[in-house]
Amino acid sequence: MKILDILDDVFPIASAIKNAYISFAEMTCSAVAVVTDQFRDGERVVGFGFHSNGRYDQQGILRSRMIKRLNQAGAHGFLNAGGTNVDPFKAWQAMMANEKPGGHGERSVAVGTLDMAMWDLAAKLEGKPLYRLLAEQHRGGISDDSVYVYAAGGYYYPEKGIEGLTEEMQGYLDLGYDTIKIKIGGATLSGDCRRIEAVLALLDSGQKLAVDANGRFDLSMALEYAQALNQYDLKWFEEPGDPLDFELLAEVAAVSRNPLATGENLFSMQDGRNLIRYGGLRADRDILQIDPALSYGLVEYLRVLKMLTDSGWSYRSCIPHGGHQFSLHLAAGLGLGGNESYPGLFFPFGGFADDALIKKGRIELADVPGVGIEQKKELMKLYRRMLTDNGW
Ligand code: MG
């Protein structure tokens, strides 16, 4: 087996939305393709990768360091012992050559993007969906039949009032989601309570609302919100303060009756370990949202999971941020607690298979080799164009 080329390109995933901290009007995404000399059913086998929303494209780091190092290692530098498939762990080592520890910055996003392509490729060459490959490698072949997903939205759309918010949320419930999430922290506390109460009024028993402050609050505001939110029965209160302020989080955890959720802006096992050590989180209810596609990929995420197990946490406490096919496969294959979903946003990278249906807040995965990017027609058009433009 030979790797013939590693391509990258940049695409817009702009959305006219705002959370309490940023606008997504200029958001971009890097996509990569690892081209091989192998064919399955008459089609060339190519591994595809991209990263989650919320961080911009990584073209600089990809070209000047990560893809360059993979090319320098040569295909044999990251193939398995038999030379029949890629070894994502070896690819990871090659990419991280001469990188100092700590100060993770956004190189974790660039590595995560290529790591996704390596796993997509590894599963395709085995002729299996990634979730099945992972279940065989880590759970004695047992995978989850379906994955819990929740609909994240409720952004502060310019010009959208409470009526627009409830209309959007009702739309997610009608799609089959049982948990929906809205943003808070972009209005006053009383304004946010009105938003929350309007959405809670839509819910039947068994349906839940989560709220997300996107790291907006200082300590006193975070505590004020936590106490005000205690009057509601929420699925969780997400990212009350700066993602790296573990002491703030511990103080919020001490007063919050609602579960807390955080981790989407922690990009390494070491950061995750500090969160578990110092964030005051409660293993019996709180949720960890580290997003593998932003955080050095699955190779690093397996280290995160080991750290959690060693610290007395369950894999089921993990519900990754991002709403993409890659984390969905990790959830089904490794037995995570679920996955985020952004219905209709971050097109065409975000979301699941075009024909996937949400039933009672859960989604089933199809029996298609790899990560299932081929099940997303518009995303595949973009990758096909990228291959054609480069002579493949
Ligand atoms: Mg969030």
Side-chain angles (χ1 to χ4, degrees), residues 122-162:
K124 281 174 175 164
L125 288 169
E126 293 266 330
K128 295 169 185 167
L130 178 61
Y131 74 86
R132 191 158 300 150
L133 185 71
L134 294 176
E136 287 169 9
Q137 289 176 351
H138 298 277
R139 288 173 82 200
I142 297 163
S143 58
D144 292 349
D145 294 336
S146 64
V147 175
Y148 162 80
V149 286
Y150 72 94
Y155 286 80
Y156 293 96
Y157 287 86
E159 333 236 328
K160 190 164 165 178
I162 286 204

Side-chain angles (χ1 to χ4, degrees), residues 181 183 212 214 238-239 264 289 321 340:
K181 186 172 88 180
K183 299 299 180 185
D212 184 359
N214 289 94
E238 181 170 327
E239 277 200 317
E264 70 179 73
Q289 300 171 307
H321 160 270
E340 188 168 21

Side-chain angles (χ1 to χ4, degrees), residues 153-155 157 159-175 180-183 191-203 207 209:
Y155 286 80
Y157 287 86
E159 333 236 328
K160 190 164 165 178
I162 286 204
E163 208 168 298
L165 176 69
T166 52
E167 209 171 283
E168 179 194 343
M169 292 295 131
Q170 186 60 52
Y172 300 148
L173 297 171
D174 293 344
L175 283 174
I180 51 180
K181 186 172 88 180
I182 65 167
K183 299 299 180 185
D192 276 333
C193 286
R194 279 196 295 280
R195 284 163 57 83
I196 289 167
E197 284 162 21
V199 177
L200 285 174
L202 302 173
L203 302 184
Q207 296 178 328
L209 170 66

